[in-house]
C-alpha cells in the first residue's frame, strides 16, 4: 500500500492487498478516494474493476476469498475478508434511466464509468500504486468545498432524482460557502421528480440531512429551492427547527422532524413509512404537557408515571427551541430562554427512576371487590391517590389505602 492510505484501518489495508494481488487492475472509487484525500476515516471501501462480475467472482473464489453475488445485475460482487464486506463493481455505462433505476452494460473505460457518477468529488479513482485518476476536477472541487455535479446537472438529476437530496447532504459535509449555482438551478427546475422516488429512499436520505453537519442551513436551502415543500407537503416551520439545532439538542432525526413539521404529523409519519416506534415518538413529543423548570420531584414523578423520560425530554427541547425562535423573531425581546434551567430539568428527568404503580386489577379482586367495571374504577381511584402522594407509596401502603378508603 502507498503512503496515502493513512485513513484506512490495518484490516482494510490487508484486505486490499489480497484483492489487488488477484485483481491488479482494480481501483478504489468514490467515497473512499474522497475521504482519503482529506484525511477522514474511511467507513466503506468500494472498488471498481474492468473485469466482468463473473470473472471477478471466479478470480476471488479461486484465491480462497469468500464472495457474495450482492448485485450481479448491476455488476457488483462483495468480497468478504475478515468478516468485512468489500464491494467490487464492474465498470459500467448507463443504457437506460428512468429517474429511479438504470439499465447498465459493462465497459472497460474508466472515464465512461466516472461520467455516470453524481458529483465530481465522488468520481475519482485510485490505483494500487496510489495514482489518482480525476477526470472532472474532483480534487480541486474538494479542496475549495464545491459540490458540483459531473457534467450537466440536469441530466444527472434526471438519471436519479435522489441526487437532489444527496446534493444537500454532501453540501453539508463537504461544501463551503454558497452552493453551486448550476446545481441549484437544475434542482429547482426538476424538484417534482422527487415524487417519483420511494418514500423509503426519501426518508433514508432526509434522516442523514437532518442529523448531519449544518442541518439548519441545509434545511433552509432546501426550503428556498422548493425541495422541502415536495418532501413535506403537510407544511413546515423553519424557525423552531433552526432553534432546535442552535440550542444543542441531540441529532435525533425524529425529534428534528417533529420540530420541522408544522401540522399533519400523523399523516407525514404514515406517508414516510416511519416505524411504529418512531411514529409514537414523533406524536408524543409534538403534543402534551412540558414540566416547568422549577417543578418539584413529586411533580416530575407524576409526569414520569404517565410517560417515559424520552418523551418528556424531547418536549423540553422543542419548548426551548420554540421560545428561542420566538425571541429571535421578536425584535423587542430582551431575553432568551434559560438554557441552564432547561438543562437542569432534563438532567433531573433522565436521572429519576420511572415510578410504576404497584397495584393491579387482581389485587382489587383479592381485596373482595366483585369482578366487573367497578374494578377498573376502584383501580383508577387508587392510582389517583398514589399520584397525589407523589408516586411514592409502596404496594403495602396502596393495599392498606384500598382497605381503608375504597371498600
Amino acid at each position: 500500500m502507498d503512503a496515502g492510505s493513512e485513513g484506512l484501518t490495518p484490516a482494510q489495508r490487508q484486505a486490499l492487498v489480497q484483492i489487488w494481488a488477484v485483481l491488479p487492475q482494480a481501483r478504489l472509487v468514490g467515497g473512499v478516494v474522497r475521504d482519503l484525500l482529506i484525511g477522514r476515516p474511511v467507513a466503506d471501501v468500494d472498488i471498481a474493476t474492468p473485469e466482468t462480475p463473473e470473472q471477478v467472482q471466479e478470480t476471488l473464489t479461486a484465491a480462497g476469498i469468500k464472495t457474495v453475488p450482492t448485485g450481479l445485475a448491476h455488476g457488483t460482487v462483495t468480497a468478504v475478508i475478515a468478516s468485512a464486506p468489500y464491494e467490487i463493481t464492474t465498470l459500467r455505462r448507463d443504457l437506460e434511466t428512468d429517474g429511479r433505476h438504470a439499465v447498465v452494460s459493462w465497459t472497460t473505460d474508466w472515464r465512461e464509468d466516472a461520467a455516470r457518477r453524481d458529483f465530481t468529488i465522488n468520481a475519482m479513482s485510485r490505483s494500487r500504486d496510489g495514482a489518482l485518476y480525476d477526470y472532472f476536477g474532483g480534487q480541486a472541487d474538494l479542496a475549495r468545498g464545491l459540490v458540483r455535479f459531473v457534467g450537466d446537472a440536469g441530466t444527472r438529476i434526471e438519471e436519479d432524482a435522489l441526487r437532489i437530496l444527496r446534493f444537500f447532504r454532501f453540501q453539508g459535509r463537504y461544501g463551503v460557502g454558497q452552493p453551486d449555482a448550476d446545481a441549484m438551478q437544475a434542482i429547482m427546475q426538476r424538484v417534482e421528480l422527487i415524487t417519483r422516488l420511494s418514500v423509503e429512499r426519501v426518508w433514508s436520505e432526509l434522516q442523514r440531512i437532518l442529523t448531519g453537519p449544518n442541518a439548519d442551513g441545509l434545511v433552509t436551502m432546501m426550503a428556498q429551492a422548493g425541495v422541502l415543500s415536495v418532501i413535506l407537503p403537510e407544511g413546515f416551520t423553519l424557525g423552531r427547527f433552526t432553534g432546535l439545532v442552535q440550542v444543542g439538542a441531540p441529532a435525533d432525526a425524529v425529534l428534528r422532524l417533529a420540530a420541522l413539521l408544522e401540522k399533519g404529523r400523523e399523516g407525514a409519519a404514515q406517508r414516510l413509512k416511519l416505524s411504529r416506534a418512531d411514529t409514537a415518538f414523533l406524536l408524543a413529543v409534538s403534543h402534551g404537557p412540558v414540566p416547568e423548570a422549577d417543578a418539584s420531584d413529586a411533580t416530575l414523578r407524576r409526569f414520569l408515571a404517565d410517560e417515559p423520560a424520552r418523551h418528556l425530554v424531547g418536549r423540553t427541547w422543542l419548548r426551548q427551541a420554540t421560545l428561542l425562535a420566538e425571541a429571535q423573531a421578536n425584535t423587542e425581546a430582551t431575553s432568551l430562554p434559560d438554557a441552564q434551567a432547561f438543562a437542569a430539568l432534563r438532567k433531573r428527568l433522565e436521572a429519576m427512576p420511572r415510578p410504576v404503580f404497584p397495584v393491579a386489577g387482581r389485587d382489587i379482586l383479592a381485596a373482595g371487590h366483585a369482578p366487573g367495571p367497578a374494578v377498573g374504577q376502584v383501580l383508577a381511584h387508587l392510582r389517583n391517590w398514589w399520584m397525589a402522594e407523589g408516586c411514592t407509596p409502596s404496594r403495602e401502603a396502596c393495599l392498606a389505602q384500598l382497605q381503608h378508603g375504597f371498600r
Side-chain angles (χ1 to χ4, degrees), residues 239-251:
R240 185 173 55 200
F241 179 84
T242 299
L244 188 69
V245 176
Q246 291 177 347
V247 299

Side-chain angles (χ1 to χ4, degrees), residues 116-153:
R116 65 185 298 279
R117 297 180 182 270
D118 49 11
F119 311 117
T120 61
I121 61 174
N122 293 338
M124 297 176 282
S125 59
R126 208 178 80 166
S127 62
R128 65 186 298 188
D129 60 3
L132 179 69
Y133 295 85
D134 181 12
Y135 305 103
F136 305 103
Q139 186 176 22
D141 288 344
L142 189 62
R144 59 179 174 159
L146 180 64
V147 180
R148 183 168 60 90
F149 283 99
V150 173
D152 180 69

